[in-house]
Amino acid sequence: MESSARAVSTACPNCGAVVDTPFCGYCGRSLRDEHTGAAGPSAFVREGAVEALGLDRRLVTTARDTLRRPADVIGAHLEGHGSRYLHPLKFFLLLGGVYMLIFTWLQPFNFFAIADAPDSYGISLTSVVLDADNAEELRAVFARRGLSEETANARFEGRMNTVTPLVSVLSLVPLALVLGALWRSRSWRDHATFLLVTWNAIWLVGLVTVPLFQFNSTVALLVDYAGTYVYLALTFFSFYGRRPVMPAVLRFVAFVVAEVTVSSVVSALLSAAILATIFIP
């Protein structure tokens, strides 16, 4: 009877992990009492959520510590003590999905506002892709193609808001290469963990600032950029070290320049791809 009772899967009341042993393999809590009785409604719902979504109570701990002390979270994963946290890649993908949902709901991007905005690096994507230099010329292009302004804007917003998180995803690989060049003595696992945890912290801050786009996009962008580079600096110097000072600062500056360049290039390529498909339903 005891062996059959132990075979019943139970959600650990401490961390939420689903196990079928007398002890939780994630946090070490004894589950003997939990295995001897029938699971209550809360345990049933928690276990179902863990099985269906792959989430547990570590989500709250991961989000909290990623915001409060991201360098410690990186160290815990690298030292083999990260079982109390969600894997950084899993958390990264989860936040990316949340970002897509929120952007799709809030629609912070407007096609014609972006078309009238100053060009980056002297290149106008609307001019290159659609042969239109401003909003008025774009409207003329759309009129010739039988595309209304509302439809064009809706297509652009929906697609741009959905793929925006991909900018971060596609930027991490070249940034890992940059870190590998700056710190040849460190492993790729170190760099990958640093990037994932740092961008998780940046995305968590971004999720707080996204609603500001509904009220003042300029303020929202300033808050988002400030949060991004404050977290980037704190985590960078905490993880890679700040001594000697000058080499550490130069490496950070090189990394920031690489991050801005890579993000801008990836964002431009994705925007160009969306513009090229604007006439496709």
Side-chain angles (χ1 to χ4, degrees), residues 20 89 92 96 139 164 172 177 194 199 225 248 251 276:
D20 56 6
L89 179 58
F92 181 82
R139 291 186 177 94
T164 292
L172 294 190
L177 296 176
F194 164 79
W199 256 255
Y225 279 124
R251 283 173 169 170

Side-chain angles (χ1 to χ4, degrees), residues 209-238:
T209 63
V210 162
L212 293 177
F213 279 95
Q214 295 295 96
F215 304 99
N216 191 309
S217 59
T218 301
V219 173
L221 285 173
L222 289 175
V223 173
D224 185 57
Y225 279 124
T228 294
Y229 291 105
V230 166
Y231 264 97
L232 192 57
L234 291 175
T235 312
F236 188 94
F237 289 119
S238 297

Side-chain angles (χ1 to χ4, degrees), residues 152-218:
N153 198 54
R155 288 179 184 175
F156 179 81
E157 283 184 339
R159 295 169 188 178
M160 189 68 182
N161 296 329
T162 301
V163 304
T164 292
L166 292 178
V167 174
S168 293
V169 175
L170 297 175
S171 299
L172 294 190
V173 174
L175 289 179
L177 296 176
V178 171
L179 290 174
L182 292 174
W183 276 277
R184 297 179 183 274
S185 60
R186 286 185 175 268
S187 69
W188 291 109
R189 182 168 178 262
D190 290 357
H191 302 317
T193 306
F194 164 79
L195 288 170
L196 288 172
V197 174
T198 302
W199 256 255
N200 287 341
I202 291 171
W203 278 12
L204 285 170
V205 173
L207 288 174
V208 177
T209 63
V210 162
L212 293 177
F213 279 95
Q214 295 295 96
F215 304 99
N216 191 309
S217 59
T218 301

Side-chain angles (χ1 to χ4, degrees), residues 93-111:
L93 296 175
L94 172 65
L95 290 175
V98 173
Y99 248 99
M100 288 183 182
L101 291 175
I102 290 180
F103 274 132
T104 301
W105 172 48
L106 292 178
Q107 302 287 332
F109 300 102
N110 181 277
F111 182 73

Side-chain angles (χ1 to χ4, degrees), residues 68-153:
R68 293 174 57 186
R69 43 179 185 270
D72 291 346
V73 176
I74 297 171
H77 285 295
L78 294 177
E79 294 166 8
H81 306 303
S83 60
R84 64 183 181 275
Y85 301 122
L86 292 177
H87 190 281
L89 179 58
K90 183 176 184 178
F91 194 39
F92 181 82
L93 296 175
L94 172 65
L95 290 175
V98 173
Y99 248 99
M100 288 183 182
L101 291 175
I102 290 180
F103 274 132
T104 301
W105 172 48
L106 292 178
Q107 302 287 332
F109 300 102
N110 181 277
F111 182 73
F112 290 96
I114 291 177
D116 280 334
D119 302 335
S120 299
Y121 305 107
I123 300 174
S124 171
L125 292 178
T126 55
S127 178
V128 172
V129 179
L130 300 176
D131 194 25
D133 294 324
N134 52 55
E136 289 302 321
E137 293 184 9
L138 278 173
R139 291 186 177 94
V141 171
F142 293 151
R144 291 196 301 268
R145 300 290 296 268
L147 188 66
S148 68
E149 179 179 335
E150 292 75 14
T151 301
N153 198 54

